[in-house]
Amino acid sequence: MENSLLAEKMIKEKGIAIVSVDKAGYAFDAGIRVGDKLISINGHKISDPIDYKFYQADEILKINISRDDEVKEFIIEKKEDEDIGLELSPMRIRRCPNKCIFCFVDQMPEDCRESLYIKDEDYRFSFLYGSYLTLTNLTKKDKERIFEQRLSPLYISVHTTDNDLRREMLGNKKAPDIIKEIEELTQHRIYLHTQIVLCPGINDEDYLKKSINDLKRFYPFVSSIAVVPVGQTRHRVNKLRPVDKNYAKRAIEGLSKIKKEIKRELGEDILFIADEFYIKAGMDFPEIDEYADFPQLENGVGLVPLFLSEFNEALSKINNPPSPPFSKVGKGGNKKIFTITGASFAPYLNECTAKLKRDGFDIDVVTVKNNLLGESVTVAGLLSGKDILSALRKYDKGIVLIPSVALREAGDRFLDNMTPDELRRKTRMEIKIVGSDACGLIDSVFN
């Protein structure tokens, strides 16, 4: 009777759909198939792919799945930490409860990719993909899970440690005390990468200094603090003061002093200034070793200096190859090459292509103006297909290299839903999607 009640309870739990089973894996050998629903592993309910990864680490697994309204049990023996070969249906994203004064999602125009309108606030995605959290919707149960499964590091949007100002910036009067939240996480040895979106006249000056000083107290568990400038599209209703050249210079000067003080105190670089400040100020980037291990690269911190460093290193190896001799495939080819980028990176990419031209390549940078979001948005990752098409209209033949960052992760759609195939048809040019780093450019050109 007890077993039948347990089975009935398990069926009600439904489980998570299994969308793929590796035919060379343990699960397939045991008899688990696509369409089954994973309910539990060793008595632990599986609520998402993170649970699956965590609880399948043991050597002996008792797995319950639901199939045709029946619960089936499978026993798998394997090596510790070895994957059994299941892929589960994707997680549903938790939505953000805030109405931040600088929210980029709220500035998006109509008819863009559907995912661009999703305001996420999900600790699981922070752990898996490095998306930023404000810690405004964590429940006690969420925290218990984070501590038990060691979901670390997490990426935290702080903006300011002054709680009154923070609640105002987040548009959330119920936002918890950010320092208490960070203190609880770090006491449980959860590592954090933090960011401050700097809004001129709002969370700068004394607020900024206080925030950085408050956060550095939690080192080494607060592993990095990134300061990034607020971004605005032309669709923003309530305009914020922009970060201009003079402001960027002052910000770099002030933050650089604090950075040096922290380095002297802690012996480590943990404060990082976003590339966009240096681009707007027209100032040289710091030395590459000042970025430590690039903990916030995806946040636009160190992307440009790393690209330039890796480009020069890769080109040097090609031009001064070890034995046997390296053959420059494609050198002197008769096809014109165009490489696409936004306005902010164009000067640096021009530096790189000038070196490739000296190597015999016919390559030009096409700087794409962002008409969709506005000229203040200058990064390649926010270019639309239509704007790229507009920039290419004056050309009629050649190979066009588009950085993969301009498309969604699947590589099939630009910001405005245009596909690479549509762009190919409309330009009648050879469109190649290439890696966004220096190696992606070098490999594409030489091969």
Short mmCIF file of all heavy atoms in Angstrom, two decimals, residues 2-34:
data_model
loop_
_atom_site.label_atom_id
_atom_site.label_comp_id
_atom_site.label_asym_id
_atom_site.label_seq_id
_atom_site.Cartn_x
_atom_site.Cartn_y
_atom_site.Cartn_z
N GLU A 2 1.94 1.22 0.83
CA GLU A 2 2.84 2.36 0.95
C GLU A 2 3.54 2.64 -0.39
O GLU A 2 3.67 3.78 -0.82
CB GLU A 2 3.87 2.09 2.04
CG GLU A 2 4.77 3.30 2.33
CD GLU A 2 5.73 3.02 3.46
OE1 GLU A 2 5.46 2.11 4.27
OE2 GLU A 2 6.75 3.73 3.53
N ASN A 3 3.97 1.56 -1.07
CA ASN A 3 4.65 1.72 -2.36
C ASN A 3 3.73 2.30 -3.41
O ASN A 3 4.14 3.11 -4.24
CB ASN A 3 5.21 0.37 -2.84
CG ASN A 3 6.42 -0.05 -2.04
OD1 ASN A 3 7.07 0.80 -1.41
ND2 ASN A 3 6.71 -1.34 -2.02
N SER A 4 2.45 1.88 -3.41
CA SER A 4 1.52 2.38 -4.42
C SER A 4 1.23 3.86 -4.19
O SER A 4 1.07 4.64 -5.13
CB SER A 4 0.22 1.58 -4.41
OG SER A 4 -0.47 1.77 -3.18
N LEU A 5 1.14 4.27 -2.90
CA LEU A 5 0.93 5.67 -2.59
C LEU A 5 2.13 6.51 -3.03
O LEU A 5 1.98 7.62 -3.54
CB LEU A 5 0.69 5.85 -1.08
CG LEU A 5 -0.66 5.37 -0.55
CD1 LEU A 5 -0.70 5.45 0.97
CD2 LEU A 5 -1.79 6.23 -1.15
N LEU A 6 3.33 5.96 -2.81
CA LEU A 6 4.55 6.66 -3.22
C LEU A 6 4.59 6.81 -4.73
O LEU A 6 4.92 7.88 -5.26
CB LEU A 6 5.77 5.89 -2.72
CG LEU A 6 7.14 6.49 -3.07
CD1 LEU A 6 7.28 7.88 -2.43
CD2 LEU A 6 8.26 5.59 -2.60
N ALA A 7 4.22 5.75 -5.46
CA ALA A 7 4.21 5.79 -6.92
C ALA A 7 3.20 6.82 -7.42
O ALA A 7 3.48 7.58 -8.35
CB ALA A 7 3.88 4.41 -7.48
N GLU A 8 2.03 6.84 -6.76
CA GLU A 8 1.00 7.80 -7.15
C GLU A 8 1.48 9.24 -6.93
O GLU A 8 1.26 10.12 -7.75
CB GLU A 8 -0.27 7.54 -6.33
CG GLU A 8 -1.45 8.39 -6.77
CD GLU A 8 -2.70 8.08 -5.98
OE1 GLU A 8 -2.79 6.96 -5.42
OE2 GLU A 8 -3.58 8.94 -5.91
N LYS A 9 2.17 9.44 -5.80
CA LYS A 9 2.71 10.77 -5.51
C LYS A 9 3.74 11.17 -6.56
O LYS A 9 3.78 12.31 -7.03
CB LYS A 9 3.35 10.77 -4.12
CG LYS A 9 3.90 12.13 -3.71
CD LYS A 9 4.55 12.07 -2.33
CE LYS A 9 5.15 13.43 -1.99
NZ LYS A 9 5.85 13.39 -0.67
N MET A 10 4.57 10.21 -6.96
CA MET A 10 5.61 10.48 -7.96
C MET A 10 5.00 10.86 -9.31
O MET A 10 5.48 11.75 -10.00
CB MET A 10 6.54 9.28 -8.13
CG MET A 10 7.54 9.11 -7.00
SD MET A 10 8.67 7.76 -7.32
CE MET A 10 9.78 7.91 -5.92
N ILE A 11 3.93 10.18 -9.69
CA ILE A 11 3.27 10.48 -10.96
C ILE A 11 2.72 11.90 -10.93
O ILE A 11 2.81 12.65 -11.91
CB ILE A 11 2.14 9.46 -11.24
CG1 ILE A 11 2.76 8.10 -11.56
CG2 ILE A 11 1.27 9.93 -12.40
CD1 ILE A 11 1.75 6.99 -11.66
N LYS A 12 2.17 12.30 -9.77
CA LYS A 12 1.66 13.65 -9.64
C LYS A 12 2.76 14.69 -9.75
O LYS A 12 2.54 15.83 -10.16
CB LYS A 12 0.90 13.80 -8.31
CG LYS A 12 -0.44 13.07 -8.29
CD LYS A 12 -1.13 13.25 -6.95
CE LYS A 12 -2.48 12.52 -6.93
NZ LYS A 12 -3.13 12.64 -5.61
N GLU A 13 3.98 14.28 -9.33
CA GLU A 13 5.11 15.21 -9.42
C GLU A 13 5.44 15.53 -10.89
O GLU A 13 6.05 16.55 -11.19
CB GLU A 13 6.35 14.59 -8.77
CG GLU A 13 6.26 14.42 -7.27
CD GLU A 13 6.42 15.71 -6.52
OE1 GLU A 13 6.61 16.76 -7.17
OE2 GLU A 13 6.33 15.70 -5.28
N LYS A 14 5.05 14.65 -11.78
CA LYS A 14 5.22 14.79 -13.24
C LYS A 14 6.67 14.65 -13.70
O LYS A 14 6.95 13.96 -14.66
CB LYS A 14 4.66 16.14 -13.72
CG LYS A 14 3.15 16.24 -13.57
CD LYS A 14 2.65 17.56 -14.11
CE LYS A 14 1.14 17.67 -13.95
NZ LYS A 14 0.62 18.96 -14.44
N GLY A 15 7.60 15.33 -13.05
CA GLY A 15 8.99 15.24 -13.46
C GLY A 15 9.31 16.16 -14.63
O GLY A 15 8.48 16.93 -15.10
N ILE A 16 10.54 16.06 -15.09
CA ILE A 16 11.02 16.90 -16.19
C ILE A 16 11.22 16.05 -17.43
O ILE A 16 11.82 14.97 -17.36
CB ILE A 16 12.35 17.58 -15.82
CG1 ILE A 16 12.16 18.41 -14.57
CG2 ILE A 16 12.84 18.47 -16.94
CD1 ILE A 16 13.43 19.06 -14.12
N ALA A 17 10.74 16.53 -18.54
CA ALA A 17 10.84 15.77 -19.79
C ALA A 17 12.30 15.57 -20.20
O ALA A 17 13.12 16.49 -20.13
CB ALA A 17 10.08 16.49 -20.90
N ILE A 18 12.61 14.37 -20.60
CA ILE A 18 13.94 14.04 -21.14
C ILE A 18 13.88 14.24 -22.65
O ILE A 18 13.11 13.59 -23.35
CB ILE A 18 14.32 12.59 -20.79
CG1 ILE A 18 14.44 12.44 -19.27
CG2 ILE A 18 15.62 12.19 -21.48
CD1 ILE A 18 14.56 11.01 -18.79
N VAL A 19 14.67 15.18 -23.16
CA VAL A 19 14.60 15.53 -24.58
C VAL A 19 15.69 14.87 -25.41
O VAL A 19 15.62 14.85 -26.64
CB VAL A 19 14.65 17.06 -24.77
CG1 VAL A 19 13.44 17.72 -24.11
CG2 VAL A 19 15.94 17.66 -24.22
N SER A 20 16.71 14.32 -24.74
CA SER A 20 17.78 13.65 -25.48
C SER A 20 18.45 12.63 -24.57
O SER A 20 18.63 12.89 -23.37
CB SER A 20 18.81 14.67 -25.99
OG SER A 20 19.87 14.01 -26.66
N VAL A 21 18.80 11.48 -25.15
CA VAL A 21 19.52 10.44 -24.40
C VAL A 21 20.72 10.01 -25.24
O VAL A 21 20.56 9.59 -26.39
CB VAL A 21 18.62 9.22 -24.11
CG1 VAL A 21 19.38 8.19 -23.28
CG2 VAL A 21 17.34 9.63 -23.40
N ASP A 22 21.89 10.13 -24.68
CA ASP A 22 23.12 9.71 -25.36
C ASP A 22 23.11 8.19 -25.51
O ASP A 22 23.10 7.46 -24.52
CB ASP A 22 24.33 10.17 -24.55
CG ASP A 22 25.66 9.82 -25.21
OD1 ASP A 22 25.65 9.17 -26.28
OD2 ASP A 22 26.71 10.18 -24.65
N LYS A 23 23.12 7.72 -26.76
CA LYS A 23 23.03 6.27 -27.02
C LYS A 23 24.28 5.53 -26.54
O LYS A 23 24.26 4.29 -26.44
CB LYS A 23 22.79 6.02 -28.50
CG LYS A 23 21.40 6.45 -28.95
CD LYS A 23 21.13 6.09 -30.39
CE LYS A 23 19.71 6.50 -30.79
NZ LYS A 23 19.40 6.18 -32.20
N ALA A 24 25.35 6.27 -26.26
CA ALA A 24 26.56 5.63 -25.75
C ALA A 24 26.67 5.77 -24.23
O ALA A 24 27.68 5.40 -23.64
CB ALA A 24 27.80 6.24 -26.41
N GLY A 25 25.61 6.29 -23.60
CA GLY A 25 25.66 6.58 -22.17
C GLY A 25 24.99 5.53 -21.30
O GLY A 25 24.30 4.63 -21.77
N TYR A 26 25.17 5.71 -19.99
CA TYR A 26 24.62 4.78 -19.01
C TYR A 26 23.10 4.75 -19.03
O TYR A 26 22.48 3.70 -18.89
CB TYR A 26 25.08 5.17 -17.61
CG TYR A 26 26.56 4.96 -17.35
CD1 TYR A 26 27.44 6.04 -17.36
CD2 TYR A 26 27.06 3.69 -17.07
CE1 TYR A 26 28.79 5.85 -17.12
CE2 TYR A 26 28.41 3.50 -16.81
CZ TYR A 26 29.27 4.59 -16.85
OH TYR A 26 30.60 4.39 -16.60
N ALA A 27 22.47 5.92 -19.16
CA ALA A 27 21.02 5.99 -19.08
C ALA A 27 20.37 5.19 -20.21
O ALA A 27 19.37 4.49 -20.00
CB ALA A 27 20.57 7.45 -19.13
N PHE A 28 20.93 5.30 -21.42
CA PHE A 28 20.37 4.57 -22.56
C PHE A 28 20.52 3.07 -22.34
O PHE A 28 19.59 2.28 -22.59
CB PHE A 28 21.07 5.00 -23.85
CG PHE A 28 20.45 4.42 -25.09
CD1 PHE A 28 19.37 5.05 -25.70
CD2 PHE A 28 20.92 3.23 -25.65
CE1 PHE A 28 18.78 4.51 -26.84
CE2 PHE A 28 20.33 2.69 -26.78
CZ PHE A 28 19.26 3.33 -27.38
N ASP A 29 21.70 2.65 -21.85
CA ASP A 29 21.93 1.23 -21.59
C ASP A 29 20.95 0.69 -20.54
O ASP A 29 20.52 -0.46 -20.61
CB ASP A 29 23.36 1.01 -21.08
CG ASP A 29 24.39 1.13 -22.21
OD1 ASP A 29 23.98 1.10 -23.39
OD2 ASP A 29 25.59 1.26 -21.90
N ALA A 30 20.58 1.56 -19.59
CA ALA A 30 19.66 1.14 -18.54
C ALA A 30 18.22 1.03 -19.03
O ALA A 30 17.38 0.38 -18.39
CB ALA A 30 19.74 2.12 -17.37
N GLY A 31 17.91 1.70 -20.16
CA GLY A 31 16.56 1.63 -20.71
C GLY A 31 15.78 2.92 -20.66
O GLY A 31 14.59 2.95 -20.99
N ILE A 32 16.42 4.02 -20.26
CA ILE A 32 15.76 5.33 -20.22
C ILE A 32 15.72 5.90 -21.63
O ILE A 32 16.70 5.82 -22.38
CB ILE A 32 16.49 6.28 -19.25
CG1 ILE A 32 16.45 5.70 -17.83
CG2 ILE A 32 15.87 7.67 -19.28
CD1 ILE A 32 17.26 6.48 -16.82
N ARG A 33 14.58 6.48 -22.01
CA ARG A 33 14.40 6.92 -23.38
C ARG A 33 13.85 8.36 -23.45
O ARG A 33 13.31 8.89 -22.48
CB ARG A 33 13.40 5.99 -24.12
CG ARG A 33 13.92 4.55 -24.26
CD ARG A 33 15.10 4.47 -25.21
NE ARG A 33 15.61 3.12 -25.41
CZ ARG A 33 16.63 2.58 -24.73
NH1 ARG A 33 17.24 3.31 -23.80
NH2 ARG A 33 17.04 1.37 -24.99
N VAL A 34 14.00 8.95 -24.64
CA VAL A 34 13.43 10.27 -24.89
C VAL A 34 11.92 10.20 -24.69
O VAL A 34 11.27 9.25 -25.13
CB VAL A 34 13.75 10.73 -26.34
CG1 VAL A 34 12.98 12.01 -26.68
CG2 VAL A 34 15.24 10.96 -26.51
#
